[in-house]
Amino acid sequence: MNNRKLGKWVGGFTSLALLAGLLAACGGNGNEASPSASSPAAGGGASPSASAPADPTQLSGTVKVWDWDEAFQQGMIAEFNKKYPNIKVEVTVVNPNDYLQKLQSGIASGSDVPDVILGESAYRGKLFDLGVLDNLEAAPYNFDKSAILDYVVPYVSNADGDVIAVDQTLTPAGFAYRRDLAKEYWGTDDPAELEKLISSWDDFIVKGKELKEKSGGKVLMFPGLGDAYIALRGQNFVSYVNGNEIDLTTKLQAPLQRLFEMRDAGILGKNELWTPAWSASMAKGEFMFYPMAPWGAKWHISANDPEGSGRWGLVKAPEGGFTRGGTAIGIYKDSKAKEAAWAFIEFAYLSDEGSAYNFKTFGNMTSSRSFYETEKALIDAPGPYDEFFGGQNLAKYFIEKIVPDMKGEAQSQYDSVVDSVFNALYPLWMKDGSVNADSALQKFIQETRNKASEATVK
């Protein structure tokens, strides 16, 4: 990525001059952005805190981590121990669906609580509201939030504005698309050309009708309402929770209007998210688009279409980016190994060295600014899933085309409630044509009131 393009991308967050100053300042010793071998951040890039020891071998302890991605932890711990040989990281594999309940049970009983706690997007807001994560901007961490991209800050902050986590990976999302279908029915599989064809949601619906007609109804735009909703809701970054007040009308009225417009145009399938039919459709070529964040290349597309190398591409969504998924990483406030836990988190998710390993091995993209300045060559080089996507440089596309439009959204304890209500309601919307956007919104409000009786929902 050349400096002109980097400057365009960073411009939404800070100028290149400020970025250079930030990198130097975060080095901890006044060095330039690329630290010397003697720097406290040597081998790990600019440090986002002032607490890193001058000699990592002097820091010791045992850090307990609960995670569902054992492969990530095994690989990252080995890299971490090259720099911090005297810190032992113990991993317990926990199903993400059981994670929050297991954590709450451990806290209530006063036992079996990890030092490093993960918050998957489905329950991140609820985790933050528990008040069990330490403030990373305070001692002993001294995290400088200006070291990460601006739009990420709300996703890792509590209701008081304190940063209490870091992100495992950036999750800006666009659409994975079938190159073969785009070429056959629209005459091009070039992302730049597709951007023009679906630059607005109006255009998207028009092209969807064209696709349905040309394919004789065999190919539609999305597998189902859930896929479209992920993008439409995600593009509305407005905060909709204020204390115990939930403003669903402001948050969902416009997205639901578009969603039902797509349904009534006949351009959406009838698959529910995460079902076997939804997964199988990726290999069958029944649908053009699937919402995809950087992690989706591994966990969604290639996993469900293992023979599909070369027939996928990535294009930004009409009218801007949105987030999909994401995992917050924090430290238990009563941990007895805070310095060691922070050393691991900082290395694995923020340092240039850990971020480079994470990117090269898993395709995960850090939220740390310095990585995109000091590792330009790595971003320019082919990524682990670029070949699968027809040789398209996925990282550069996310960074240059999608990230600049991203905004932050405050996390709320009610996010999981709202998501659960949607998941319960939308299968009916696919089947019952008498349900329209207005009646769907009123039902949405009523069901949210039922699940959050202490809240005022409008």
Side-chain angles (χ1 to χ4, degrees):
M1 179 167 53
N2 59 43
N3 285 332
R4 180 181 62 81
K5 291 181 179 178
L6 178 67
K8 180 181 179 182
W9 169 56
V10 176
F13 310 107
T14 185
S15 69
L16 279 176
L18 287 176
L19 178 62
L22 169 67
L23 297 177
C26 288
N29 60 359
N31 287 346
E32 296 301 320
S34 298
S36 67
S38 60
S39 166
S47 171
S49 78
S51 60
D55 183 359
T57 65
Q58 296 303 304
L59 189 59
S60 62
T62 298
V63 178
K64 295 181 180 179
V65 180
W66 287 1
D67 196 347
W68 46 86
D69 190 348
E70 187 174 13
F72 169 84
Q73 292 294 344
Q74 287 179 342
M76 186 59 75
I77 291 169
E79 294 298 308
F80 171 72
N81 283 146
K82 293 176 183 178
K83 184 175 181 180
Y84 292 93
N86 297 316
I87 297 178
K88 182 179 181 181
V89 182
E90 297 180 348
V91 178
T92 299
V93 178
V94 179
N95 187 309
N97 297 324
D98 303 328
Y99 198 102
L100 190 59
Q101 181 59 51
K102 180 177 173 63
L103 178 66
Q104 290 175 298
S105 297
I107 293 170
S109 65
S111 63
D112 198 27
V113 179
D115 302 292
V116 175
I117 296 174
L118 276 65
E120 201 265 342
S121 62
Y123 59 83
R124 181 186 299 212
K126 197 169 183 178
L127 170 64
F128 286 6
D129 191 62
L130 293 177
V132 300
L133 300 182
D134 236 0
N135 179 3
L136 299 181
E137 295 181 271
Y141 321 107
N142 304 310
F143 178 61
D144 180 359
K145 63 185 177 185
S146 67
I148 60 176
L149 303 184
D150 288 349
Y151 94 84
V152 175
V153 175
Y155 292 107
V156 293
S157 300
N158 61 16
D160 295 326
D162 300 323
V163 174
I164 57 174
V166 302
D167 253 317
Q168 181 189 58
T169 177
L170 289 181
T171 57
F175 294 161
Y177 68 91
R178 288 279 301 232
R179 287 181 179 271
D180 53 341
L181 299 179
K183 187 75 171 179
E184 179 177 356
Y185 296 110
W186 292 336
T188 180
D189 65 352
D190 182 358
E193 293 301 315
L194 292 183
E195 288 175 24
K196 299 174 185 177
L197 293 180
I198 58 167
S199 62
S200 70
W201 286 112
D202 286 334
D203 293 338
F204 186 88
I205 292 172
V206 169
K207 296 304 293 185
K209 291 178 178 178
E210 177 187 317
L211 176 65
K212 181 181 180 182
E213 181 180 355
K214 286 185 175 180
S215 69
K218 294 180 180 179
V219 183
L220 302 177
M221 294 295 262
F222 281 132
L225 271 72
D227 302 88
Y229 175 82
I230 287 170
L232 292 166
R233 180 196 184 281
Q235 287 180 334
N236 188 0
F237 294 102
V238 63
S239 178
Y240 69 105
V241 175
N242 181 13
N244 285 339
E245 296 182 1
I246 307 175
D247 185 357
L248 285 183
T249 300
T250 298
K251 185 68 176 178
L252 296 181
Q253 187 172 51
L256 289 180
Q257 290 287 350
R258 276 294 191 192
L259 183 65
F260 279 84
E261 189 178 352
M262 291 183 194
R263 184 203 67 175
D264 294 342
I267 64 174
L268 306 178
K270 298 185 181 297
N271 293 288
E272 296 179 33
L273 293 165
W274 310 111
T275 60
W278 176 83
S279 299
S281 70
M282 297 183 194
K284 293 180 179 180
E286 299 172 329
F287 304 102
M288 182 69 74
F289 296 112
Y290 296 81
M292 190 187 87
W295 55 268
K298 172 184 178 182
W299 294 105
H300 277 178
I301 305 304
S302 65
N304 289 312
D305 186 17
E307 303 301 320
S309 181
R311 67 183 177 200
W312 289 91
L314 171 67
V315 66
K316 67 179 181 180
E319 302 179 20
F322 55 99
T323 61
R324 177 155 205 210
T327 300
I329 318 291
I331 297 176
Y332 182 44
K333 67 177 184 179
D334 293 330
S335 168
K336 305 301 181 184
K338 292 184 178 183
E339 291 85 354
W342 177 240
F344 178 67
I345 289 176
E346 187 177 41
F347 178 89
Y349 305 107
L350 296 170
S351 74
D352 287 351
E353 183 179 4
S355 296
Y357 175 81
N358 203 349
F359 176 74
K360 288 187 290 185
T361 308
F362 304 106
N364 291 335
M365 297 168 62
T366 180
S367 62
S368 175
R369 294 178 187 270
S370 72
F371 176 76
Y372 300 101
E373 172 66 15
T374 61
E375 298 290 344
K376 294 192 201 73
L378 183 57
I379 296 297
D380 283 338
Y385 293 95
D386 288 0
E387 183 178 353
F388 199 93
F389 278 71
Q392 184 179 5
N393 189 314
L394 298 180
K396 288 184 70 172
Y397 193 90
F398 277 116
I399 290 168
E400 296 177 3
K401 296 291 187 177
I402 299 177
V403 168
D405 298 326
M406 298 297 296
K407 300 176 183 177
E409 182 180 344
Q411 302 298 284
S412 163
Q413 61 174 314
Y414 294 113
D415 292 342
S416 59
V417 173
V418 173
D419 288 345
S420 69
V421 171
F422 171 77
N423 289 331
L425 292 178
Y426 85 89
L428 177 64
W429 301 346
M430 294 189 292
K431 301 171 185 175
D432 187 352
S434 68
V435 179
N436 59 30
D438 291 334
S439 62
L441 177 60
Q442 293 310 309
K443 182 66 171 178
F444 210 127
I445 290 173
Q446 183 58 53
E447 290 301 314
T448 304
R449 285 173 179 160
N450 293 340
K451 286 182 172 290
S453 57
E454 77 285 359
T456 300
V457 187
K458 61 179 183 177

